[in-house]
Amino acid sequence: FFSFSFFLSTPMHYSSSFSNSRSASSRRPTSSSYTTTTTTTTNAPSGKKEEEVVRRAIRSLMRKKVEEEEGENETRMDEYARTLVEASTWTTNPIEEGKGEAAITTETSSSSSLLATSFALDALVLSRLFTLMRKREPPGSETMGIARQIVNISFLGLDTRTLRIRDWPRGTAIFDVQPKDCNEYLTPRMKLMNAKVTKGSSLRRVDFDFMSDAKSSDKKSSVEDALRKEGFREETPTIWICEELEELVNSEATKISDFVEEICDLMSRESECCGSVKGVDARLRNTIKALFAANGAMCSFTEEENGCVLFSAIKMRRSVREEEYYRNALMDAMEQIDEDGWED
């Protein structure tokens, strides 16, 4: 696995000498094209339910803020996340009844550093992305259109990873999956900060909440439809990001088995899922590995010095849609052979 120690002690700005290029005609179908789609809602969410969703996300950021102020390491929040916390009207108030700054401070006292884990996951994602590019894209070729995809899944919301990583390669489509209320809260504030992804890449915000109370059967079809609505294509090489997977493990809304099955169905061969999980034991590790293996992906874990546990799952077989395409192509070819009399 890639070593992350260097990234945990340096500012959050990555650079790479890798040639960010690719010949799109060899990978991308020509029957359709991508169009950049962004959320333009400017009103903050209103109503009790919407406030609870955003407060839940703000609470997660506040834990990192307390860790930054009281921690001994030099890891710092990015400017976008810090602005969301400092500008929030909920920062000085208890987010849940009986839970204030003292409770938040207690929650951060664990063997795993939340900030360090986020930065280590950023480094892992870029490392695996450049490895995927070297495997799938001819060196020295020119990138035209969309060559690869990033799907960043935020279970709690208000995740700024897609903006703080400033060196996404040209030709990267970034799908930021967050609860709708968090996207509506986040978008106008990031616009005021003139926050943009790197030139040559595109950001598409996807509204979906894995922590909601929707039924699993409805949820499975919705996340797939939500991604496709914004231009997601299963055949394009993709890196999936799942930080704080323990939130899903402890959630009653979505089963982790359904989640793993869904993303693996949408992953093309050699695409990867990178993530972090806190408080994981040997039994849970084996369970996660078994779930990915059952869906055609090989998963491995690594534990860093700061206590964070990262994982990476590489898809070893084609996506469901790719298999369907090749199956239909084979059936068409067999029918054509029958019509021409080749069966004799």
Side-chain angles (χ1 to χ4, degrees), residues 141-325:
S141 59
E142 183 179 357
T143 300
M144 299 292 291
I146 301 302
R148 67 203 72 84
Q149 299 173 144
I150 296 290
V151 178
N152 181 59
I153 298 177
S154 176
F155 298 115
L156 297 180
L158 300 187
D159 188 1
T160 57
R161 169 175 286 106
T162 56
L163 295 171
R164 73 168 175 256
I165 296 181
R166 297 184 172 91
D167 282 321
W168 294 117
R170 176 180 292 274
T172 303
I174 306 166
F175 299 87
D176 201 356
V177 184
Q178 304 199 38
K180 180 180 179 180
D181 304 314
C182 290
N183 273 332
E184 293 179 350
Y185 184 90
L186 183 66
T187 301
R189 288 160 177 80
M190 294 299 98
K191 187 176 182 181
L192 288 175
M193 295 184 67
N194 197 30
K196 299 178 181 179
V197 293
T198 51
K199 186 177 181 180
S201 58
S202 60
L203 176 62
R204 299 105 183 272
R205 297 202 177 276
V206 181
D207 298 333
F208 193 79
D209 188 0
F210 286 94
M211 309 299 287
S212 68
D213 296 328
K215 295 182 179 180
S216 298
S217 58
D218 298 332
K219 189 181 297 295
K220 182 175 180 179
S221 60
S222 297
V223 65
E224 182 177 346
D225 294 341
L227 283 168
R228 287 178 177 170
K229 182 180 178 181
E230 299 301 330
F232 178 83
R233 303 182 72 97
E234 292 93 328
E235 67 271 17
T236 303
T238 306
I239 299 292
W240 295 69
I241 310 172
C242 307
E243 185 176 5
E244 297 181 336
L245 189 62
E246 69 275 359
E247 297 291 343
L248 194 62
V249 173
N250 301 326
S251 171
E252 297 180 356
T254 302
K255 293 182 179 179
I256 187 172
S257 57
D258 294 336
F259 172 76
V260 173
E261 179 183 359
E262 174 67 4
I263 65 173
C264 285
D265 284 349
L266 298 174
M267 291 170 65
S268 62
R269 188 177 181 182
E270 295 184 342
S271 292
E272 294 191 38
C273 176
C274 301
S276 65
V277 58
K278 182 176 64 175
V280 61
D281 54 17
R283 181 179 179 182
L284 183 55
R285 288 194 191 193
N286 292 333
T287 299
I288 295 175
K289 286 183 179 180
L291 289 174
F292 276 108
N295 290 278
M298 183 176 64
C299 180
S300 58
F301 284 82
T302 180
E303 186 168 356
E304 296 302 303
E305 295 179 357
N306 55 35
C308 66
V309 177
L310 306 178
F311 69 87
S312 176
I314 305 176
K315 187 69 180 296
M316 307 303 292
R317 67 188 186 201
R318 297 182 177 90
S319 67
V320 171
R321 175 164 287 195
E322 285 179 309
E323 291 179 351
E324 182 181 356
Y325 170 81

